Amino acid sequence: MIRFENVTKRYGENVGLEEVTINIAKGDFIFLVGPSGAGKSTFIKLILREIKPEEGEIYLDDMCVTQISNREVPKLRRKAGIVFQDFRLLEKKTVYENVAFAMEIIHKTKKEIRRQVPQILSLVGISDKAYKYPEELSAGEQQRVAIARAIVNNPTVLIADEPTGNLDPTTAMEIMDLLNKINRRGTTVVMVTHAKNIVDVMNKRVIAIKDGRIVRDECGLYDLVCEESSDDDTDEEDLYV
Amino acid sequence: MFRRMGYNIKQAFVQIKRNKAMTFTSVLAITAMMLILGVFFVATININLFAEVVKQDFDMVELYIEEDYSLDGIKKIGLEYESDEGVSKVEFRSKEDALEIMKSRWGDNGYLLDNLGGNPLPDSLIVYVKDAETAKIIASEALDVEGVEDVKYYQETVEKLTKTTNFIQMASLVIMLFLVLVSIVVVSNTIKLTVFARSKEIRIMKYIGATNWFVRGPFFIEGIIIGLIAALVSTGLVAIIYDNIMAIIGADIIRILSVPIVPIEYLAVNLAIIFVALGVGIGSCGSVISMRRFLDK
Ligand SMILES: Nc1ncnc2c1ncn2[C@@H]1O[C@H](COP(=O)(O)OP(=O)(O)OP(=O)(O)O)[C@@H](O)[C@H]1O
Ligand SMILES: [Mg+2]
């Protein structure tokens, strides 16, 4: 479903990713962890073709991300729902319009939009806020809207870059429940996080990156996979969550 | 983008409303360009027309006959010219005919000629030639022919005129091209401001898989609207200016000079078509250019 083959990405002298090879199966739920600057965001940007690697190939489903033309990038991004730490909602649109917009982009009819959007809003538990603007919502609610927007077109994969980074622990766990729910509906989920307790509770596949390299890749706890780096950057995040 | 025309147009108007001052400025700038352009255009058209009319005199040489020269004599001269291979036709124009022609040219002011007390115009022979060379030879030798008093032949004038009109045409073309480029830069800068103001939004759109044309749509329409407004305003202004200049010169003088003038209605329609095409072109190019860097990644 997502495949990296020997992918290397450098920013000048900085290493983004170094010879990364990985395979994420359909329906998986994976955590991408590692210290700050490890290359987690780079990993995600590569999948979305925001940047191109110097070496290696990346595949999403049947699409070779590294080979497609710029014109095909929108098609690629429609295969993937994306959620960010800072939500990135359209401020001038209501909750409903934000979600509907993702459908308008792919030329869905008004009828389809009217049918689909309320369903998704109810799935993420935000139906009662449909006609509010993002600034009128709490952070957790905004993230729910962002998730609704990300999954409304039934993407094959949901990619989340620290989706709980701006949320308090309780809200973060609620968002995790939601992501789990979405994953059980068949959507592959790739989530970047620093939150140790979330990783521990969820007990999913954990891929740890450090200095651009994959240092661990196994199911289970945060500690298990990150022992080498758990003393620096990750500690403060642990306190936070 | 055409599937979402309604959305694009609505969005374009929202942007224009949000950016009234800048929209106004670019409409103003383009209108100014088009005004200059329009003046050039109108002038060029009229000069061309004038040149065409004058060139018709090019294929003929008018020979003025001495006062009281006998009709037989005139006929003889005429026949002689007619036998020339380069001559297609020779026409006799009596002094009365000449006066009539002049009167009709002067139109309403023709009565002025009634007070002349006699006809000051000479009889003449009009020699129509097949090519400019013959005209030149005839003109240069005609004064030696007995009975011919004067020769009217515009060759030099025509040559100068042709050169001048060619030059004017080239110059206008260069200036017009330059103005069009300037306009494109002006529009693209205006739109760049709107794009900057909405850069966050655009980035989000791209993240959720919007195509470049989807993002561009409203800006594209915005550019076209700016171009269209400028086109209509300038068409109106050029028409008014043209009308006023003609009024100042006065219809009578124009007729007496026998200079042809392109009618305003004809010009306005053509100008409108040209300006609209140009405005749409400038607006759309401007918007696409302004977004280029934004949509590259
Ligand atoms: N645009 C860029 N130009 C230069 N260097 C970059 C750029 N983006 C990332 N890097 C470098 O690449 C490395 C990986 O960055 P990346 O953003 O992937 O880290 P991260 O794992 O997401 O970190 P964080 O947890 O802080 O978000 C870092 O050393 C970073 O400095
Ligand atoms: Mg990051």
Side-chain angles (χ1 to χ4, degrees), chain A residues 48 50 70 74 77-78 82 84 88-92 101-102 104-105 107 149, chain B residues 3-4 7 11 18 200-201 204-212 214 296-297:
Chain A
L48 299 173
E50 211 181 315
N70 284 340
R77 293 191 180 165
R78 289 166 192 182
I82 309 148
F84 297 96
R88 303 201 189 169
L89 300 172
L90 298 170
E91 286 153 24
K92 291 177 198 101
F101 189 67
E104 286 170 21
I105 279 178
H107 305 295
R149 181 180 65 189
Chain B
R3 260 191 277 189
R4 303 178 36 87
Y7 164 83
Q11 207 53 43
R18 246 182 241 152
K200 205 175 141 207
E201 220 176 312
I204 294 172
M205 287 185 189
K206 293 282 308 199
Y207 261 121
I208 51 181
T211 59
N212 281 350
F214 185 97
D296 264 359
K297 44 179 178 170

Side-chain angles (χ1 to χ4, degrees), chain A residues 11 14-16 34-43 45 161-162 194:
Chain A
Y11 302 96
N14 283 1
V15 174
S36 185
K40 306 181 294 294
S41 295
T42 302
F43 184 89
K45 285 177 184 164
D161 195 347
E162 299 192 48
H194 284 116

Side-chain angles (χ1 to χ4, degrees), chain A residues 88-105 121 129-137 142 145-146 149, chain B residues 4 7-8 10-11 14-15 18 198 201-202 204-205 208 210 214 218:
Chain A
R88 303 201 189 169
L89 300 172
L90 298 170
E91 286 153 24
K92 291 177 198 101
K93 290 187 190 292
T94 62
V95 166
Y96 183 96
E97 288 165 347
N98 261 284
V99 178
F101 189 67
M103 295 185 77
E104 286 170 21
I105 279 178
L121 288 182
K129 304 275 164 48
Y131 297 103
K132 293 215 179 303
Y133 287 88
E135 60 174 17
E136 301 173 275
L137 302 182
Q142 288 188 50
V145 179
R149 181 180 65 189
Chain B
R4 303 178 36 87
Y7 164 83
N8 286 332
K10 209 174 95 190
Q11 207 53 43
V14 169
Q15 281 163 203
R18 246 182 241 152
R198 294 189 54 199
E201 220 176 312
I202 290 171
I204 294 172
M205 287 185 189
I208 51 181
F214 185 97

Side-chain angles (χ1 to χ4, degrees), chain B residues 253-267:
Chain B
I253 294 180
I254 290 168
R255 197 170 308 120
I256 288 168
L257 288 175
S258 74
V259 181
I261 292 287
V262 184
I264 182 79
E265 297 79 17
Y266 169 84
L267 266 184

